[in-house]
Amino acid sequence: MSNQFLDQITQRRTIYAIGKNVNQTPEHLTDLIQTAIKQSPSSFNSQSSRAVILFNGESEKFWNLVAEKLKSYAKDEESASKTAAKMASFAAGMGTVLFFEDMDVVKGLQEQFPSYAENFPIWAEHSTAIAQFAVWTALHTDGIGASLQHYNPIVDEQVHAEWDIPASWKLRAQLAFGSIEGEAKAKGFMDDAARFKVFQ
């Protein structure tokens, strides 16, 4: 089956070995990331997804904050060293997209449509997931590697303070990106029969 979109999402992979050898400008990548998020669907067209785009030193600052916070979680010196190396690998990239959901938007929808109230937080998670996937795939099509991380909520307080983030924005994920400096790991798939049911 030949389909350009399916080709792109098939080739999109988690890339941990990233660097700063990127030809695109921050302005180009900002436009790409913003467009991908703007074009991502959301429940009731709520557009609840938010993003903070960090380049170079600002991205390194974020991963240093995470590394510092994680020191208290280390069981021993070896564990601390491995964690520090992992954070350094993310900081080695060109940038990081911090994905948020605006909970004021969610609360507003809950008040406006009370019969759906319990679903709006779930649908907000759907919105951010779609936005994350769209940005990740868009970066891939530009030849940029990325990996999706989740160091929230342990750094939420520091992030809000450092970059003056509105209190209603809830951090959901972090996408570290940069030049591809190593291959993706092999990816396996479970049997289709265990995953899908088709009726005609």
Side-chain angles (χ1 to χ4, degrees):
M1 176 200 258
S2 179
N3 178 291
Q4 190 175 5
F5 175 70
L6 292 180
D7 289 344
Q8 294 298 337
I9 67 173
T10 298
Q11 294 164 19
R12 181 222 51 80
R13 299 292 304 281
T14 294
I15 304 294
Y16 289 113
I18 55 175
K20 292 181 169 62
N21 302 310
V22 174
N23 294 324
Q24 298 88 334
T25 65
E27 291 75 20
H28 170 84
L29 294 176
T30 295
D31 183 59
L32 182 148
I33 292 164
Q34 290 178 345
T35 301
I37 294 172
K38 285 167 67 176
Q39 296 301 328
S40 295
S42 57
S43 65
F44 289 66
N45 193 31
S46 60
Q47 302 174 53
S48 55
S49 294
R50 305 286 183 264
V52 172
I53 308 168
L54 306 173
F55 288 102
N56 301 310
E58 292 297 305
S59 177
E60 292 170 13
K61 185 189 297 181
F62 170 76
W63 292 110
N64 288 337
L65 285 175
V66 179
E68 189 62 33
K69 193 71 176 178
L70 288 175
K71 283 181 180 178
S72 62
Y73 292 85
K75 293 177 284 188
D76 51 41
E77 196 171 313
E78 182 182 356
S79 175
S81 179
K82 285 182 179 178
T83 298
K86 189 174 184 181
M87 296 309 106
S89 73
F90 300 141
M94 181 189 188
T96 303
V97 184
L98 308 181
F99 290 93
F100 299 81
E101 281 294 299
D102 190 339
M103 301 315 291
D104 278 353
V105 174
V106 175
K107 289 174 186 174
L109 288 167
Q110 288 176 311
E111 292 167 2
Q112 190 176 355
F113 304 100
S115 59
Y116 296 122
E118 66 181 21
N119 290 317
F120 283 114
I122 299 169
W123 292 338
E125 294 300 314
H126 296 172
S127 295
T128 188
I130 294 169
Q132 292 161 29
F133 181 70
V135 170
W136 198 350
T137 305
L139 288 170
H140 160 75
T141 63
D142 256 27
I144 294 173
S147 71
L148 192 66
Q149 305 301 321
H150 300 88
Y151 288 98
N152 44 289
I154 64 169
V155 292
D156 288 20
E157 187 177 338
Q158 289 85 352
V159 167
H160 277 79
E162 182 65 37
W163 289 283
D164 193 25
I165 308 299
S168 64
W169 291 21
K170 185 177 182 181
L171 185 60
R172 306 313 299 137
Q174 307 85 48
L175 187 72
F177 65 87
S179 55
I180 299 173
E181 303 295 334
E183 293 184 6
K185 294 179 180 178
K187 182 177 181 180
F189 294 92
M190 64 186 293
D191 187 77
D192 284 356
R195 194 170 189 180
F196 307 108
K197 289 184 181 294
V198 181
F199 301 92
Q200 298 186 40

